[in-house]
């Protein structure tokens, strides 16, 4: 038996891969207050799943394409007469509804809709692992390459312009990275929980990080701990794995918030 023959080993590697990709990106989502943007992109992925099955394409390809289309649509329509939260709410829920309706029209295709909505990490195959880790490496390489420019445009767009950095271009980089993370995370936590895996580890790391780089590192540690802890608890208590991973992340956030409040109380 080889190392990857165990479904638990494959599941653990998948969780670690998604956590590594989501953690630094999640920091930018938190800094830029893009939580609803992540939701809208993730919800569009279910429509991508329907398109993939209808045309016998890879689910990853369909989800990635639809996530990119949604992200670009949001970026294009923002500032054109609608408040951002209203626009994101309309697009996110519309994309999810159209995706669910489209899936119902597929004839002769067996589909476990719950697996796409909430993830099915225990069913990750070797091919899925290749896609997940390939996507994670791509996202990490993209963020490593653009880290300074992304950080400058996030903290102060005017300063970015003065330094010769185009904030709109950096927004597009984030959009592309977010679409890739959504596409690779579907198998692990599903479209309804992807935003949680992006936001919660980064939010838990924020009170303890003195620099943006440390926040990214701590978020990665929190994300990996959530994935592995959720997987172990799910296996032990026979609970849904994707939601259990998010529950562990929420627990870490609660502990981090409590520790932060205690520290502020002692210092005050």
């Amino acid at each position: 038996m080889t190392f990857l023959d165990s479904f638990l080993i494959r599941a653990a590697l998948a969780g670690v891969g998604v956590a590594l990709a989501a953690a630094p990106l999640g920091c930018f989502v938190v800094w830029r207050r893009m939580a609803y943007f992540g939701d809208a992109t993730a919800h569009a992925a279910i429509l991508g799943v329907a398109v993939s099955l209808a045309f016998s394409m890879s689910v990853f390809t369909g989800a990635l394409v639809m996530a990119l289309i949604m992200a670009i649509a949001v970026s294009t329509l923002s500032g054109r007469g609608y408040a951002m939260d209203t626009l994101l709410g309309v697009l996110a829920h519309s994309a999810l509804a159209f995706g669910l309706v489209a899936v119902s029209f597929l004839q002769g295709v067996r589909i476990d809709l719950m697996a796409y909505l909430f993830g099915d990490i225990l069913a990750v195959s070797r091919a899925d692992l290749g896609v997940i880790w390939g996507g994670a490496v791509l996202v990490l390489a993209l963020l490593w390459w653009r880290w300074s420019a992304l950080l400058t445009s996030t903290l102060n767009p005017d300063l970015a312009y003065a330094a010769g950095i185009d904030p709109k271009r950096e927004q597009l980089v984030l959009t592309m990275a977010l679409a890739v993370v959504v596409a690779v995370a579907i198998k692990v936590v599903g479209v309804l929980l992807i935003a949680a895996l992006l936001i919660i580890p980064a939010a838990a790391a924020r009170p303890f990080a003195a620099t943006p780089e440390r926040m990214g590192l701590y978020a990665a540690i929190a994300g990996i701990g959530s994935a592995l802890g959720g997987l172990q608890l799910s296996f032990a208590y026979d609970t849904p794995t994707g939601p259990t991973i998010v529950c562990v992340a929420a627990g870490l956030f609660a502990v981090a918030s409590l520790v932060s409040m205690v520290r502020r109380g002692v210092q005050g």
Side-chain angles (χ1 to χ4, degrees), residues 152-153 156-168:
T152 302
S153 62
N156 193 325
D158 293 332
L159 181 61
Y161 277 120
I165 299 169
D166 184 358
K168 292 184 178 180

Side-chain angles (χ1 to χ4, degrees), residues 12 17 29 31 34 42 54 88 94 110 112 119 125 143 152 163 172 177-178 226 256:
V29 171
W31 292 331
M34 293 171 60
L88 289 174
S94 298
R110 295 185 62 185
D112 182 4
S125 65
L143 292 179
T152 302
L172 181 60
L178 187 60
S226 300

Side-chain angles (χ1 to χ4, degrees), residues 50-191:
V51 171
S52 300
L53 296 175
F55 293 97
S56 301
M57 296 164 35
S58 161
V59 170
F60 170 78
T61 302
L64 177 61
V65 169
M66 291 308 302
L68 275 173
I69 290 174
M70 171 62 78
I72 292 171
V74 171
S75 298
T76 302
L77 294 174
S78 61
R80 305 232 173 152
Y82 294 100
M84 180 58 79
D85 59 344
T86 301
L87 179 64
L88 289 174
V90 169
L91 292 178
H93 297 299
S94 298
L96 180 60
F98 277 111
L100 294 174
V101 170
V103 166
S104 71
F105 280 109
L106 296 176
Q107 299 296 326
V109 178
R110 295 185 62 185
I111 176 173
D112 182 4
L113 194 56
M114 295 296 286
Y116 290 110
L117 292 176
F118 298 104
D120 190 11
I121 191 174
L122 298 179
V124 167
S125 65
R126 294 184 183 212
D128 293 329
L129 269 183
V131 169
I132 289 170
W133 276 93
V137 169
L138 176 62
V139 169
L140 290 174
L142 190 62
L143 292 179
W144 179 273
W145 174 47
R146 304 303 303 169
W147 180 266
S148 179
L150 282 168
L151 196 57
T152 302
S153 62
T154 296
L155 296 176
N156 193 325
D158 293 332
L159 181 61
Y161 277 120
I165 299 169
D166 184 358
K168 292 184 178 180
R169 181 185 62 201
E170 304 311 319
Q171 172 75 24
L172 181 60
V173 170
L174 276 181
T175 294
M176 294 172 61
L178 187 60
V180 172
V181 168
V182 166
V184 301
I186 284 180
K187 196 77 173 180
V188 176
V189 290
V191 298

